[in-house]
Amino acid sequence: MTDVIEGALRAVHDQPVISGPVLHDLLSDVLPQSDSLLVVGATDSALLPALWAQGRSVTMLVRSHDDAGRIAADAPGNVRVVAGALAAFASGGASYDAVVAVDGLDRTGALNGTPTTWSQSLRLLCGQLRPGGTLVIGARNPARLDELLSVPSARDAAGRELEAAGHDHSRPASVHALESSLAAEGFPIASVHCGFGDPRDLRTLVSVRALADGGPGTVITSVVQRALDQADGQRILSAAALVHRLSLAGSLSAAAAGWIAVVGGRGRSAYLRAGDDAVWLDRSTDGLVTGGHDTRDLPATLPTSSTVEHLLLQQVALAQTEEFRSLAARLGSWIRESAASFATMSVYFDQIHPVGDGFAPGLSLDHRPTQGSSASSAVLLDRAWRRFAHRLREAGHENPWPATLSTDQLVELWLGMSGVTEPVLDGEAPPLPPAPEDLRSTLERAHRDQDLVATMRSELDTTTRVLADRDTALQLREARIRGLRRDLLDEVEKRDEAVAAAAALTAGRTYRLARRASQVADLRDPKKLARVALKRADGAIRAYRRMR
C-alpha cells in the first residue's frame, strides 16, 4: 500500500547514504520484535526484508514517488509505504515501538516552503517513538579524514546532494555532537557505532566505547586499518599511518564514513564482514570474545594488548636494542615451542600479542591456513622477520642499524637474536604485503632512496680519499726505496773501484818493495819475529789437528 502526503517529489530517486551487509548484523542485535516499526529514508534494498521481518506492522517513509513505487512493488502485506516529508508525516500523531533512520535526516524535509533543519527533523523523528522504544539513527561524517586525505575522484550523487546540508549548523559533525543532540531530546544514554570504509558498502562497524578502549597496535585499531585499507582510491596518507596517529590522539571516530546511534538497544563492540563470514567482537573480562558465522579459524578470545610488531617498532624508534634483542629471543623460544600449532599457516608479528610471559594469536581474517603445507620453526621465524623488515622499510621507520644493511642482512641479524644460527632455506615463502601506494609513502620512499644514495656516495668518497692517501704513501715509499737502491748501487760501484785500486796497488813493484822492507824490519826485532813464528807454528798445528 502506498500513500502520498505533503512534500512528496515526483522524479527523484534517492540512494542510501550508508549501506552494507554489516548494518544487518547490528540491526539484528539491537532491534526487538515489535508491533509497529517506522523506517525513514531510502534504505538499502538488501536490508529491507530483514527490517520488514522485525515488525508486525511496518511503515516506510520515503521522499519520492519513484522510491515509494519501487519499495511497494516488493513489500509484503504488512508494509505501508508513504511518500512525503517527515514534517507532514509527523503531524499525523502516530507512534511506533521502533524507529529506524540509518540514512540520517538530511533528506527528509520538503524542498518547498521553510526548510527543516537537522535538529528539527530529529525532534520530529523522536516524537514518533513510544516511551521505552528503540531508536536507530545514522549520520554521515561530513569531515571524514580518510576521504579528506584521498585523491579526489568522481563524486557520487549522495555526496553532491548532501553538500547543501553542510550549511545546516545543527547537523552533527562529530560523535560528541550526535550524542549531545540525542541527549537534548531526552536520550542521554545511547550507544554509537562508527562505520569505516566505503559508505556504500560498509563492512566494519566499531562502537565508540571500543575505540576509546583500544590503543595503538590493538585488535580494534587493526580492524579499523583493515577497513580503510580495503577502500578504493589513492590516498595522500596510508591507512596504517592515519590509524596510528588517530589512535594516539583517541580520534579514530573522525575517520569513520558515518555513525549509527542506538537508543534502547545494545550492540556488540564490533561487526566485521570478511567475504561471506560475519564476525562480531564483544568486550569481556578476559579480552575480546569472538563469534558470528564461519569463525572456526578464530580464537574464542582475543587479547587486548598491543601487537608484537607495535612493540618492536616502539623499541626500534627508541633505539632500545637490548629490549629488542630480549623480545626477539622470547619470540624465538615461543615459536619453537608452539611450532606445531603453526604447522599450516605463517606467523605474523602484527597478529601476535604478548600475554603475560608468553604470546597469543590475534585476529586473522585475511590469512587462512593452507592445508597440506608445513614449515619448521626456523622457516616461520624467517618469514616473520622478512615481513617485519619489509613493513619497517615501507613505513619509513628509522632503525638503529646501518642504513646500508640489506634486508637479508637485517633478517640474518634478527634471526640470530631469535636463536637461529644456521642459514634458512625457504622454497615456499608467501608473498610479502604490497607496498603502500599513497602519495606520502611514495614521496618518503623516494626520500629514503635519496638518503641511501647520499650515504653510499659519502662512503664512496671516504673510501676514495683513504685509497688516495694510501696511494700517496705508497708513492713516497717507492721514491724512498728507489733512492736507497740508487745509493746502494753507488756504494757498490765505489766498492768495486776501491777493490780494483787495491788490487792494482798490491800488484805493483812499489808495494812489493815496501812489503819486503817491512819483513826485514820484523827480522831486526826479535820479539816481533818470535810472535810471527809462534803464530805461524800455531796455525800449522791447528791445520794438522784438523787433518787428523
Short mmCIF file of all heavy atoms in Angstrom, two decimals, residues 18 139-141 144 193-196 199 202 205 253 255-260:
data_model
loop_
_atom_site.label_atom_id
_atom_site.label_comp_id
_atom_site.label_asym_id
_atom_site.label_seq_id
_atom_site.Cartn_x
_atom_site.Cartn_y
_atom_site.Cartn_z
N ILE A 18 24.17 5.46 3.75
CA ILE A 18 25.01 4.44 4.37
C ILE A 18 24.35 3.09 4.10
O ILE A 18 23.17 2.90 4.39
CB ILE A 18 25.16 4.65 5.88
CG1 ILE A 18 25.81 5.99 6.18
CG2 ILE A 18 25.98 3.54 6.51
CD1 ILE A 18 25.93 6.31 7.65
N ALA A 139 24.12 8.99 10.71
CA ALA A 139 24.58 10.31 10.26
C ALA A 139 25.89 10.12 9.51
O ALA A 139 26.77 9.38 9.97
CB ALA A 139 24.78 11.25 11.45
N ARG A 140 25.98 10.77 8.38
CA ARG A 140 27.21 10.68 7.60
C ARG A 140 28.21 11.70 8.12
O ARG A 140 27.86 12.83 8.47
CB ARG A 140 26.92 10.95 6.12
CG ARG A 140 28.10 10.62 5.21
CD ARG A 140 27.69 10.66 3.76
NE ARG A 140 28.80 10.27 2.89
CZ ARG A 140 28.70 10.19 1.57
NH1 ARG A 140 27.55 10.46 0.99
NH2 ARG A 140 29.73 9.84 0.85
N ASN A 141 29.48 11.30 8.17
CA ASN A 141 30.55 12.16 8.69
C ASN A 141 30.91 13.19 7.63
O ASN A 141 31.46 12.84 6.58
CB ASN A 141 31.76 11.30 9.05
CG ASN A 141 32.87 12.11 9.71
OD1 ASN A 141 32.72 13.32 9.93
ND2 ASN A 141 33.96 11.45 10.04
N ARG A 144 35.11 13.50 7.15
CA ARG A 144 35.75 12.19 7.18
C ARG A 144 37.22 12.34 6.76
O ARG A 144 37.52 12.69 5.62
CB ARG A 144 35.00 11.25 6.25
CG ARG A 144 35.63 9.91 6.04
CD ARG A 144 34.84 9.16 4.99
NE ARG A 144 35.53 7.98 4.53
CZ ARG A 144 35.17 7.29 3.45
NH1 ARG A 144 34.14 7.69 2.73
NH2 ARG A 144 35.86 6.22 3.10
N HIS A 193 27.96 3.45 17.00
CA HIS A 193 28.90 2.65 16.22
C HIS A 193 29.41 3.46 15.04
O HIS A 193 28.64 4.20 14.41
CB HIS A 193 28.23 1.37 15.71
CG HIS A 193 28.13 0.29 16.74
ND1 HIS A 193 27.24 0.35 17.80
CD2 HIS A 193 28.81 -0.88 16.89
CE1 HIS A 193 27.38 -0.73 18.55
NE2 HIS A 193 28.32 -1.49 18.02
N CYS A 194 30.70 3.34 14.78
CA CYS A 194 31.32 4.05 13.67
C CYS A 194 31.52 3.08 12.51
O CYS A 194 32.04 1.97 12.69
CB CYS A 194 32.67 4.63 14.09
SG CYS A 194 32.57 5.79 15.46
N GLY A 195 31.12 3.51 11.33
CA GLY A 195 31.30 2.69 10.15
C GLY A 195 32.52 3.13 9.36
O GLY A 195 32.66 4.30 9.01
N PHE A 196 33.44 2.19 9.09
CA PHE A 196 34.68 2.52 8.41
C PHE A 196 34.70 1.86 7.03
O PHE A 196 34.28 0.71 6.87
CB PHE A 196 35.89 2.04 9.22
CG PHE A 196 36.04 2.73 10.56
CD1 PHE A 196 35.50 2.18 11.71
CD2 PHE A 196 36.71 3.94 10.64
CE1 PHE A 196 35.64 2.82 12.93
CE2 PHE A 196 36.85 4.59 11.86
CZ PHE A 196 36.31 4.02 13.00
N PRO A 199 31.14 4.04 2.36
CA PRO A 199 29.80 4.14 2.95
C PRO A 199 28.74 3.42 2.14
O PRO A 199 27.67 3.09 2.67
CB PRO A 199 29.55 5.66 3.00
CG PRO A 199 30.48 6.23 1.98
CD PRO A 199 31.67 5.34 1.96
N LEU A 202 29.44 -0.72 3.55
CA LEU A 202 30.09 -0.81 4.87
C LEU A 202 30.26 -2.27 5.27
O LEU A 202 29.31 -3.07 5.19
CB LEU A 202 29.27 -0.08 5.92
CG LEU A 202 29.46 1.43 6.03
CD1 LEU A 202 28.57 1.97 7.13
CD2 LEU A 202 30.90 1.78 6.30
N LEU A 205 31.87 -2.10 11.49
CA LEU A 205 31.25 -1.21 12.47
C LEU A 205 31.93 -1.43 13.81
O LEU A 205 32.05 -2.58 14.28
CB LEU A 205 29.75 -1.49 12.60
CG LEU A 205 28.81 -0.89 11.56
CD1 LEU A 205 27.40 -1.41 11.78
CD2 LEU A 205 28.83 0.63 11.61
N SER A 253 37.22 7.93 15.56
CA SER A 253 35.87 8.16 15.03
C SER A 253 35.87 9.22 13.93
O SER A 253 34.94 9.27 13.13
CB SER A 253 34.93 8.56 16.15
OG SER A 253 35.37 9.76 16.78
N ALA A 255 37.72 9.29 11.39
CA ALA A 255 37.96 8.65 10.10
C ALA A 255 36.79 7.80 9.64
O ALA A 255 36.86 7.16 8.59
CB ALA A 255 39.22 7.78 10.16
N ALA A 256 35.70 7.79 10.41
CA ALA A 256 34.54 6.97 10.07
C ALA A 256 33.77 7.60 8.92
O ALA A 256 33.69 8.83 8.78
CB ALA A 256 33.63 6.79 11.28
N ALA A 257 33.19 6.74 8.08
CA ALA A 257 32.33 7.24 7.00
C ALA A 257 31.00 7.75 7.54
O ALA A 257 30.40 8.66 6.96
CB ALA A 257 32.10 6.14 5.96
N GLY A 258 30.55 7.17 8.62
CA GLY A 258 29.29 7.59 9.23
C GLY A 258 29.14 6.96 10.59
O GLY A 258 29.94 6.11 11.01
N TRP A 259 28.09 7.38 11.30
CA TRP A 259 27.85 6.89 12.65
C TRP A 259 26.42 6.37 12.75
O TRP A 259 25.50 6.91 12.14
CB TRP A 259 28.05 8.01 13.68
CG TRP A 259 29.36 8.73 13.51
CD1 TRP A 259 30.61 8.21 13.66
CD2 TRP A 259 29.54 10.11 13.15
NE1 TRP A 259 31.56 9.17 13.43
CE2 TRP A 259 30.94 10.35 13.10
CE3 TRP A 259 28.67 11.15 12.85
CZ2 TRP A 259 31.47 11.59 12.77
CZ3 TRP A 259 29.21 12.38 12.52
CH2 TRP A 259 30.59 12.60 12.49
N ILE A 260 26.24 5.31 13.53
CA ILE A 260 24.92 4.74 13.79
C ILE A 260 24.70 4.79 15.30
O ILE A 260 25.42 4.14 16.07
CB ILE A 260 24.82 3.28 13.31
CG1 ILE A 260 25.17 3.19 11.83
CG2 ILE A 260 23.42 2.74 13.56
CD1 ILE A 260 24.19 3.88 10.91
#
